[in-house]
């Protein structure tokens, strides 16, 4: 039978089949960017295609993976916050999965370097290497296979005279806070939830926009955001020296309505508000970078790339611009730092007891925005909010995001590791991107001895729980070898086909889990028509 004729408008109003598949996958908790692996059973020689989740943390990229990542972070936060025994930190031997990813990474590097040496395009192999790096990190290996940046140059650490000194205690190797005992013999070990904010850049109204945009200090706002992670690091260092033990933290960086970063921090152990105020007053981060106040080369007058020497030259005189090291050496004893970042005087601190309602609420705050990009936490809706975000983006455009920033050229200095094509105002550094609001650091900052487990350990805990619930014993992992399946392979599954498999896999898996739960509860399966889980 031929289907009835439809108008173009009617056809356009119909959902696209692929979108429905994607939505179904999300509804069932499946990832929308699965990675295809080829699994070979060494005993039987049988080859199977396995789709593993991408593991992305942003809901805009993969809602299911982002939600799982958030749940995992909440578990990590909860487990570490009120530990009453010192976590044991001994790195495990790499497991087969970790070994497999690193072997793949090594092969990719070799192919990439070979391609590079023979003058071929390395873009695709670089992308593959990037993906593999993500998988390596996800599998629970610390650090990177290649150094991200070479050793840091020694910088001046002159103390500021305008800042109170902090009493310093030697840091004991313990990470557990004090225990308190009530007169009737009950002991408890409280911990803290602390929120630190940036300073004021000018009065703001209820919607987070400046009362007077012309006097709002956008430059300081931009620089504080750029160096926020370093400032937080300084705060923790001071806190440890002041309290005299290796205090541990789980922190989440988020924007406030005025689009300045603030940080929610769960710390193990307590301190008084007075002590906290003291530590904050003594905490600052000095940015000892070459001065960048005077624009030496504006649009139409930009330094020129000199291929033979691999650096930039003055367009008028042809002289080499000073290198970053030369500019750093030129900083004299009477110079001031490019920027001094400090927290604002406003902070929030509360004691939190293990397992309390307060603890659950704070963990909610800490993980609330983790699935969103920092710039998407507060979407501007009014004209004033749009204009405010615009002005901050403008201020960030010519700020220096890092030693390699293209904007150094504007101030007459070679960026670190210079290359052709750098243009001030078009730096590719993440911090300049609108959605970063100047903060390009990690959203979750967790100290090493927080829960004594890596995220991969927490993930493994969850998996073990699931397998136990389902009554499945995992086959011996040494029975299999794993390989990523790439584009040119004959068994490569195109994305649309992968999605169909994800939907089918998730439905089977969920039914098995529901069934197992019902068995565990001692209930017989209810009438299927009443469960309403059909899509
Ligand atoms: Zn995913
Ligand atoms: Zn930059």
């Amino acid at each position: 039978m031929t289907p009835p004729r439809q108008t173009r408008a009617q056809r356009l109003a119909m959902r696209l089949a692929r979108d429905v598949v994607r939505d179904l996958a999300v509804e069932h908790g499946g990832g929308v960017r699965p990675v295809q692996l080829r699994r070979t059973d060494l005993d039987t020689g049988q080859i199977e295609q396995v789709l593993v989740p991408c593991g992305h943390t942003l809901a805009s990229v993969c809602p299911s993976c982002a939600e799982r990542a958030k749940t995992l972070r909440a578990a990590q936060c909860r487990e570490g916050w009120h530990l009453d025994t010192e976590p044991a930190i001994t790195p495990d031997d790499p497991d087969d999965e970790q070994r497999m990813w690193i072997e793949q990474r090594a092969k990719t590097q070799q192919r990439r370097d070979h391609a590079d040496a023979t003058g071929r395009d390395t873009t695709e192999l670089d992308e593959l290497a990037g993906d593999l790096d993500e998988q390596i990190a996800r599998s629970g290996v610390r650090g990177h296979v290649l150094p991200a940046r070479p050793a840091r140059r020694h910088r001046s650490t002159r103390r500021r005279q305008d800042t109170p000194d902090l009493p310093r205690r030697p840091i004991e190797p313990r990470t557990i806070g004090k225990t308190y005992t009530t007169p009737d013999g009950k002991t408890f070990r409280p911990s803290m939830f602390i929120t630190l904010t940036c300073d004021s850049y000018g009065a703001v109204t209820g919607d987070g926009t400046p009362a007077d945009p012309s006097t709002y200090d956008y430059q300081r706002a931009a620089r504080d955001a750029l160096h926020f992670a370093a400032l937080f690091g300084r705060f923790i260092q001071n806190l440890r020296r002041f309290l005299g033990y290796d205090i541990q933290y789980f922190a989440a960086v988020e924007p406030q309505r005025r689009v300045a970063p603030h940080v929610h921090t769960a710390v193990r152990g307590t301190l008084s508000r007075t002590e906290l105020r003291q530590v904050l007053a003594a905490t600052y981060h000095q940015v000892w970078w070459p001065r960048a106040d005077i624009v030496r080369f504006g649009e139409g007058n930009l330094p020129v790339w000199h291929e033979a020497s691999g650096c930039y030259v003055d367009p008028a005189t042809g002289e080499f611009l000073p290198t970053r090291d030369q500019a750093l050496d030129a900083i004299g004893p009477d110079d001031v730092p490019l920027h001094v970042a400090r927290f604002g005087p406003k902070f929030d601190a509360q004691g939190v007891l293990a397992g309390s309602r307060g603890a659950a609420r704070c963990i909610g705050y800490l993980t609330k925005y983790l699935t969103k990009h920092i710039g998407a936490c507060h979407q501007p809706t009014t004209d004033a909010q749009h204009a405010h975000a615009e002005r901050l983006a403008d201020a960030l455009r010519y700020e220096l995001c890092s030693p390699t920033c293209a904007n150094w050229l504007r101030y007459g200095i070679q960026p670190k590791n210079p290359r052709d094509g750098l243009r001030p105002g078009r730096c590719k550094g993440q911090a300049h991107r609108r959605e970063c609001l100047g903060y390009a650091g990690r959203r979750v900052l967790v100290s090493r001895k927080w829960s004594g487990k890596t995220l991969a350990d927490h993930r493994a805990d969850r998996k073990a729980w699931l397998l136990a619930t389902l009554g499945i014993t995992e086959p011996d992992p040494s029975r299999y070898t794993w390989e990523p399946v790439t584009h040119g392979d004959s068994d490569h599954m195109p994305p649309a086909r992968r999605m169909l498999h994800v939907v089918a896999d998730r439905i089977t898996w969920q039914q098995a889990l529901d069934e197992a739960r019902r068995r565990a509860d001692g209930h017989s399966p209810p009438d299927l028509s009443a469960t309403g889980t059909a899509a």
Side-chain angles (χ1 to χ4, degrees):
M1 196 177 90
T2 33
R5 244 188 101 74
Q6 289 172 321
T7 64
R8 185 176 152 75
Q10 276 172 328
R11 281 198 304 276
L12 284 175
M14 287 165 68
R15 300 280 319 273
L16 270 173
R18 281 190 194 185
D19 291 348
V20 179
V21 177
R22 185 187 188 277
D23 291 352
L24 259 179
V26 172
E27 196 181 307
H28 288 284
V32 297
R33 306 190 321 160
V35 179
Q36 187 185 352
L37 296 181
R38 187 187 301 121
R39 188 177 77 172
T40 311
D41 187 327
L42 295 176
D43 290 357
T44 64
Q46 197 192 352
I47 292 173
E48 216 180 317
Q49 304 299 330
V50 180
L51 296 172
V52 298
C54 70
H56 210 282
T57 55
L58 288 180
S60 56
V61 178
C62 185
S64 307
C65 286
E67 196 54 39
R68 263 198 295 277
K70 177 177 159 177
T71 310
L72 210 59
R73 285 294 191 184
Q76 182 187 31
C77 182
R78 195 177 307 113
E79 276 194 41
W81 205 354
H82 296 89
L83 275 194
D84 50 11
T85 53
E86 290 293 343
I89 311 278
T90 40
D92 297 329
D93 288 336
D95 61 25
D96 284 341
E97 189 202 341
Q98 294 166 338
R99 244 189 271 268
M100 181 276 288
W101 288 120
I102 290 184
E103 277 171 18
Q104 292 300 331
R105 181 67 180 79
K107 285 181 198 162
T108 306
Q109 186 70 34
Q110 197 175 43
R111 280 168 61 198
R112 186 232 166 258
D113 290 347
H114 182 71
D116 193 35
T118 51
R120 277 176 293 137
D121 182 30
T122 61
T123 321
E124 229 172 86
L125 288 166
D126 283 331
E127 270 171 27
L128 178 61
D131 287 349
L132 288 169
D133 281 341
E134 266 174 45
Q135 294 296 340
I136 289 169
R138 243 174 80 72
S139 72
V141 183
R142 244 164 23 92
H144 302 275
V145 290
L146 287 178
R149 39 187 101 100
R152 224 189 268 172
R153 180 196 160 83
H154 179 73
R155 257 187 282 143
S156 164
T157 51
R158 272 173 284 173
R159 281 203 56 76
R160 294 194 67 80
Q161 298 307 310
D162 57 358
T163 305
D165 264 335
L166 213 56
R168 283 183 176 205
R169 300 179 177 90
I171 303 175
E172 289 175 36
R174 73 187 162 89
T175 73
I176 305 288
K178 265 185 281 181
T179 308
Y180 296 84
T181 309
T182 57
D184 57 349
K186 255 200 214 150
T187 61
F188 59 102
R189 199 189 300 271
S191 281
M192 297 280 284
F193 182 67
I194 300 171
T195 300
L196 305 177
T197 58
C198 289
D199 206 349
S200 167
Y201 308 115
V204 289
T205 55
D207 66 352
T209 62
D212 178 4
S214 68
T215 58
Y216 191 85
D217 195 343
Y218 283 99
Q219 186 188 61
R220 201 156 57 89
R223 292 185 177 178
D224 277 353
L226 287 167
H227 300 287
F228 193 76
L231 178 64
F232 181 74
R234 223 12 99 89
F235 167 73
I236 293 295
Q237 194 181 30
N238 283 342
L239 201 58
R240 285 178 176 155
R241 285 175 179 163
F242 180 77
L243 294 172
Y245 75 97
D246 193 11
I247 198 165
Q248 300 295 306
Y249 60 89
F250 179 105
V253 179
E254 274 165 24
Q256 290 176 287
R257 278 203 99 146
R258 58 173 179 154
V259 295
H262 71 162
V263 57
H264 292 309
T265 314
V267 297
R268 191 146 77 224
T270 48
L271 70 163
S272 71
R273 294 180 70 87
T274 315
E275 289 173 318
L276 182 57
R277 201 168 284 121
Q278 242 180 306
V279 175
L280 280 176
T283 297
Y284 57 86
H285 169 64
Q286 307 195 91
V287 183
W288 282 108
W289 283 0
R291 298 300 308 178
D293 312 302
I294 301 161
V295 179
R296 294 228 8 237
F297 301 103
E299 288 296 322
N301 174 35
L302 292 174
V304 181
W305 176 247
H306 187 255
E307 185 65 49
S309 54
C311 35
Y312 282 88
V313 297
D314 185 317
T317 65
E319 275 176 62
F320 291 129
L321 301 189
T323 63
R324 193 182 144 76
D325 281 353
Q326 286 165 343
L328 280 171
D329 288 340
I331 296 175
D334 299 325
D335 285 324
V336 291
L338 178 70
H339 181 62
V340 182
R342 293 174 195 275
F343 287 112
K346 278 190 192 160
F347 65 86
D348 186 66
Q350 45 182 294
V352 180
L353 287 173
S356 63
R357 288 245 299 274
R361 199 182 30 173
C362 291
I363 293 169
Y365 286 139
L366 280 158
T367 53
K368 183 173 174 193
Y369 289 119
L370 291 187
T371 62
K372 287 189 177 185
H373 218 295
I374 199 157
C377 298
H378 302 292
Q379 290 283 11
T381 49
T382 65
D383 286 350
Q385 285 170 335
H386 277 290
H388 179 50
E390 198 66 43
R391 283 188 296 265
L392 180 68
D394 278 349
L396 282 162
R397 185 159 174 226
Y398 287 112
E399 277 301 327
L400 304 155
C401 68
S402 69
T404 58
C405 186
N407 289 341
W408 286 107
L409 291 175
R410 185 173 164 84
Y411 308 102
I413 295 163
Q414 308 268 1
K416 200 174 164 179
N417 310 331
R419 58 194 161 76
D420 192 11
L422 296 181
R423 273 190 75 117
R426 306 248 179 97
C427 174
K428 294 279 191 305
Q430 280 210 36
H432 301 286
R433 299 211 324 230
R434 283 194 87 80
E435 67 269 25
C436 286
L437 309 171
Y439 179 81
R442 281 175 299 144
R443 294 289 295 287
V444 183
L445 307 163
V446 191
S447 59
R448 270 202 65 206
K449 297 169 192 164
W450 176 254
S451 60
K453 293 179 186 175
T454 61
L455 260 192
D457 294 334
H458 289 287
R459 201 176 286 124
D461 286 352
R462 203 181 141 70
K463 188 174 169 193
W465 174 84
L466 276 172
L467 291 177
T469 308
L470 290 169
I472 299 174
T473 34
E474 214 182 2
D476 177 9
S478 63
R479 238 180 91 175
Y480 302 103
T481 58
W482 300 80
E483 294 159 293
V485 181
T486 45
H487 247 340
D489 298 347
S490 59
D491 51 0
H492 178 261
M493 288 158 75
R497 219 166 92 207
R498 291 187 193 189
M499 287 315 304
L500 287 171
H501 279 260
V502 167
V503 172
D505 282 353
R506 290 298 303 185
I507 291 174
T508 315
W509 169 250
Q510 260 174 347
Q511 279 169 351
L513 193 61
D514 287 348
E515 182 64 29
R517 280 199 176 119
R518 274 193 294 270
R519 273 200 310 270
D521 290 351
H523 298 311
S524 55
D527 179 9
L528 279 177
S529 63
T531 59
T533 50

